[in-house]
């Protein structure tokens, strides 16, 4: 059991909301037992067969199917595990602590008959609880064991000093050549102060470094986020909360290949097919595609590489099966152009002309017509 | 060609040293040509057959073999590429810019007949130049396109505001739940101010988050570095420079398995077998192994997993072929115990007892006898 870590003052609002849900559900179950009825929990069915695409909301979401877990002889272990995991979450919140998914798995080792033999068991229980309460695992204080991405530019992150809970203002213009590393464990708690005009989400560390080192964020009055490939949950949630609260647009700058478009951009914008119960929190519907577009390859005469078989398969799959790309004719046209050209181009390809061409020419030219960005 | 980025004042010392080397070698070649002699360059032979293990120096190093590249009909392209790459490096230094390896590859596209068709060509030329001048690629302003690791704790990083070159002091105790992200591109330029007693290099983001969030760095007066697996060049160089300049010890905390020991720890401490010309800069000879040790598995009765075949192979390889592990009887004994037990344990396994057991019990107990750390 985590040790008490006394905090000054009451629980933050987000924590209070989650604890209320936990206590409410526990009370409900307790009442049923006292009444001599079987306690049960209803979970939304987490599978592609229970997913709906809603363009207006901007992300895949769960259709209504639910599965019920009632306390019976055959479900007793899972039922006990679920309750213990919920109880662990409550303790984590009350002690202002967190557990990685791996930590939580090891904690189950003390649950005697209810212990998990593999991490996949405890992970599944967490997924269930997350869907059950309709809040993120992070809000339940379970965090993935991952890097959280880097941030630089016109943003002040409002956090608390751990322990004393003294407020802390972290100025993301003051890191020189370094950057602010997002913490996956407090992604729901931090606040934001900014006058930036937009967020630029970048695929590669190389371009992020270049723009940061040359203070592009100052010239363009923006916030730079390095995604380093497909963005982690922490990065997606960070961008989403920042964009929502400050009502600023999000522009995405990735390689022009099916991976950059269909994996990185699509996941950031509308979420993923499985885990649809999360997309509500982890997608960024306001994201728009700055580039590199297939049209840019022609307009800027970029150096290219031939599309690989896997690229072609991915592009065709997206056109044929992905409700997001099916919805937007612009994307269908862009993919068709890419397939016709048979090539891909990287965001670093602008370095052919001049190392800072991307900053001095490409980005300003694109930013002059943001209404032309792909949806 | 990168645009001029005027700086206040003369070049920093590290830059001046590199430019002097470049100008010296260019002058030498120019003189030869004027004299009617063939210009040539001598590179240390970069291969395992030219590597020496020197326990006293603490890293693998190059033996004396060199290869000569003289200007002939068959070498003219490589020769030209080498000179252009050196010239690019000089311009990057003078304009206070940098190029990722990918950027540099795209720059070669303008070199007409000397252009590189694949990035492996331009990378090889960079490796040659690095060995030729005996400085790091980073000092030549070529940076890998990678994340640089996270830092938290009792450290002030001294950097410059980009552009204005105003000094900037970055306090790594002031990031709340976040952290300072190391920039791979200025790893040679930043300074350090600290009264910390040691550096703790950590394998997983999960443990780093836990120790950061609970301000372990304050209790233990130390600096935390998250390596996130095998440390990148930037992380290794950051730790090395910090440990050298501040004369503080480096303790390493990784999973107890052959990967944590033979890949992560060994690479951090003595470097790798290939690229031995780099180990001088990128190893951390003062590193000592805090844990998790095979003995800890017994002493703390940790939950374990069986060793996989690849683990067993890796451990046996280390015992049989790795000069580092052959040199230290303690490591041979530790590996033999691990193989005998047939299990491995993760640094997060302490979470079985209590999420903060690692911080409240394990680390203090280990830190009370640092002289017992494995070499």
């Amino acid at each position: 059991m985590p040790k008490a870590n006394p905090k000054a003052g009451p629980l933050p609002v987000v924590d209070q909301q989650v604890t209320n849900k936990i206590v409410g559900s526990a009370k409900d179950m307790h009442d049923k037992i006292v009444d001599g009825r079987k306690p049960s929990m209803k979970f939304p069915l987490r599978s592609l067969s229970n997913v709906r695409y809603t363009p207006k909301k901007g992300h895949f979401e769960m259709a209504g199917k639910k599965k019920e877990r009632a306390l019976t002889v055959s479900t007793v272990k899972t039922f006990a595990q679920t309750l213990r995991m919920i109880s662990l979450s409550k303790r984590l919140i009350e002690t202002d602590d967190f557990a990685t998914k791996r930590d939580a798995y090891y904690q189950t080792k003390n649950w005697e008959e209810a212990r998990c033999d593999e991490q996949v068991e405890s992970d599944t229980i967490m997924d269930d609880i997350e869907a059950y309460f309709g809040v993120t695992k992070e809000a339940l204080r379970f965090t993935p064991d991952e890097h959280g991405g880097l941030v630089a530019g016109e943003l002040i992150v409002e956090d608390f000093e751990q322990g004393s809970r003294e407020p802390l203002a972290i100025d993301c213009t003051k890191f020189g050549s370094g950057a602010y590393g997002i913490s996956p464990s407090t992604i729901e708690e931090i606040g934001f102060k900014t006058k930036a005009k937009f967020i630029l989400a970048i695929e590669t560390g190389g371009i992020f470094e270049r723009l940061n080192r040359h203070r592009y964020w100052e010239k363009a009055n923006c916030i730079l986020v390095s995604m380093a490939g497909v963005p982690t949950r922490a990065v997606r949630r960070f961008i989403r909360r920042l964009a929502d609260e400050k009502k600023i647009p999000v522009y995405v700058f990735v390689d022009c290949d099916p991976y950059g478009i269909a994996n990185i951009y699509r996941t950031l914008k509308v979420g993923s097919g499985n885990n649809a119960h999360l997309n509500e929190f982890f997608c960024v519907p306001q994201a728009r595609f700055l580039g590199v577009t297939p049209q840019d390859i022609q307009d800027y005469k970029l150096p290219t590489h031939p599309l690989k078989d896997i690229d072609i398969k991915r592009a065709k799959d997206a056109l044929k099966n992905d409700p997001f790309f099916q919805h937007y004719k612009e994307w269908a046209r862009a993919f068709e152009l890419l397939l016709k050209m048979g090539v891909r181009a990287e965001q670093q390809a602008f370095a052919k002309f001049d190392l800072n061409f991307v900053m001095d020419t490409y980005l300003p030219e694109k930013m002059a017509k943001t209404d032309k960005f792909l949806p």
Side-chain angles (χ1 to χ4, degrees), chain A:
Chain A
M1 195 171 82
K3 292 208 181 123
N5 177 6
K7 295 195 284 183
L11 284 179
V13 176
V14 53
D15 289 337
Q16 196 59 61
Q17 287 165 344
V18 179
T19 353
N20 289 349
K21 286 190 182 197
I22 292 176
V23 172
S25 117
K27 196 174 170 317
D28 189 50
M29 252 176 276
H30 178 261
D31 291 350
K32 275 193 189 142
I33 295 170
V34 170
D35 276 11
R37 286 178 294 152
K38 268 188 194 163
S40 70
M41 283 181 271
K42 273 189 186 155
F43 302 92
L45 195 64
R46 292 181 295 105
S47 92
L48 261 183
S49 68
N50 191 32
V51 160
R52 188 166 48 206
Y53 180 56
T54 43
K56 202 180 160 191
K57 291 203 182 164
H59 59 86
F60 291 148
E61 59 171 7
M62 315 281 298
K65 293 182 214 159
K66 296 207 170 198
K67 65 174 175 188
E68 183 159 8
R69 184 174 296 160
L71 180 55
T72 66
V73 172
S74 69
T75 62
V76 64
K77 183 175 172 186
T78 329
F79 205 87
Q81 287 174 328
T82 311
L83 293 186
R84 290 211 70 152
M85 193 65 87
I86 293 174
S87 149
L88 173 60
S89 163
K90 181 162 173 283
R91 269 189 282 129
L92 290 171
I93 295 170
E94 288 171 350
T95 53
D96 190 24
D97 209 335
F98 72 99
T100 64
K101 290 160 82 173
R102 197 78 185 145
D103 282 338
Y105 162 65
Y106 280 114
Q107 280 269 301
T108 74
K109 295 292 181 192
N110 302 309
W111 296 353
E112 295 166 18
E113 292 306 304
R115 100 174 61 80
C116 296
D117 295 319
E118 297 289 339
Q119 192 183 328
V120 66
E121 280 182 62
S122 52
D123 284 357
T124 307
I125 292 165
M126 261 180 225
D127 288 340
D128 281 345
I129 297 175
E130 184 178 45
Y132 178 66
F133 287 120
V135 300
T136 65
K137 272 198 265 293
E138 284 78 358
L140 293 160
R141 301 298 186 107
F142 298 123
T143 67
D145 194 345
E146 64 180 19
H147 262 276
L150 296 176
V151 181
E154 301 289 353
L155 172 69
I156 289 172
V157 175
E158 298 174 321
D159 199 350
F160 294 94
E161 197 148 277
Q162 307 302 318
S164 75
R165 303 289 296 175
E166 287 292 318
L168 210 53
I170 301 160
D171 185 344
C172 298
T173 67
K174 295 292 178 205
F175 296 127
S177 54
Y180 170 73
I182 301 171
S183 156
S185 78
T186 49
I187 205 71
E188 300 292 344
E189 298 160 44
I190 52 176
F192 305 108
K193 223 165 109 180
T194 183
K195 288 186 175 155
K197 282 194 292 195
F198 63 98
I199 300 165
L200 187 64
I202 300 159
E203 175 173 349
T204 64
I207 292 282
F208 175 82
E209 279 258 317
R210 172 157 309 282
L211 298 184
N212 185 24
R213 181 138 177 168
H214 290 278
R215 297 168 73 86
Y216 172 76
W217 42 263
E218 189 174 51
K219 289 168 220 169
N221 189 16
C222 71
I223 299 159
L224 307 175
V225 180
S226 167
M227 301 190 285
V230 175
T232 61
R233 292 162 57 107
V235 171
R236 286 145 67 193
R237 186 70 183 140
F238 182 93
I239 296 176
R240 167 65 181 277
R241 286 199 52 222
L242 177 55
D244 272 5
E245 286 175 26
K246 298 302 161 187
K247 298 190 176 40
I248 44 178
V250 177
Y251 302 133
V252 183
F253 182 23
V254 298
D255 289 347
C256 182
D257 56 28
Y259 187 79
I261 297 167
N263 293 50
I264 298 179
Y265 176 69
R266 212 274 331 249
T267 303
L268 179 73
K269 176 155 180 148
V270 299
S272 53
N274 40 11
N275 282 326
H277 63 291
L278 297 178
N279 291 334
E280 183 186 341
F281 306 107
F282 289 102
C283 70
V284 182
Q286 55 270 73
R288 312 255 310 163
F289 193 87
L290 179 149
V292 180
T293 66
Q295 190 61 45
D296 289 338
I297 294 183
Q298 297 190 330
D299 294 350
Y300 290 91
K301 298 184 179 53
L302 289 177
T304 58
H305 298 81
L307 286 178
K308 290 180 220 151
D309 289 348
I310 173 104
D311 292 322
I312 294 168
K313 186 180 173 305
R314 206 172 257 147
K316 289 190 172 160
D317 269 2
L319 283 172
K320 202 175 148 201
N321 301 319
D322 191 311
F324 173 72
F325 293 110
Q326 284 168 339
H327 182 77
Y328 291 107
K329 288 202 189 68
E330 299 95 313
W331 273 118
R333 275 198 299 270
F335 266 123
E336 274 152 19
L337 176 58
L338 194 70
L339 285 168
K340 203 180 120 218
M341 295 190 295
V343 294
R344 59 191 175 85
E346 297 174 352
Q347 53 178 182
Q348 301 203 38
F350 297 102
K352 182 192 166 183
F353 311 119
D354 178 303
L355 287 173
N356 289 321
F357 182 91
V358 64
M359 186 176 69
D360 298 335
T361 308
Y362 177 70
L363 286 175
E365 284 180 5
K366 296 294 280 196
M367 287 302 300
K369 35 188 183 182
T370 54
D371 56 313
K372 297 272 167 58
F373 286 177
L374 283 163

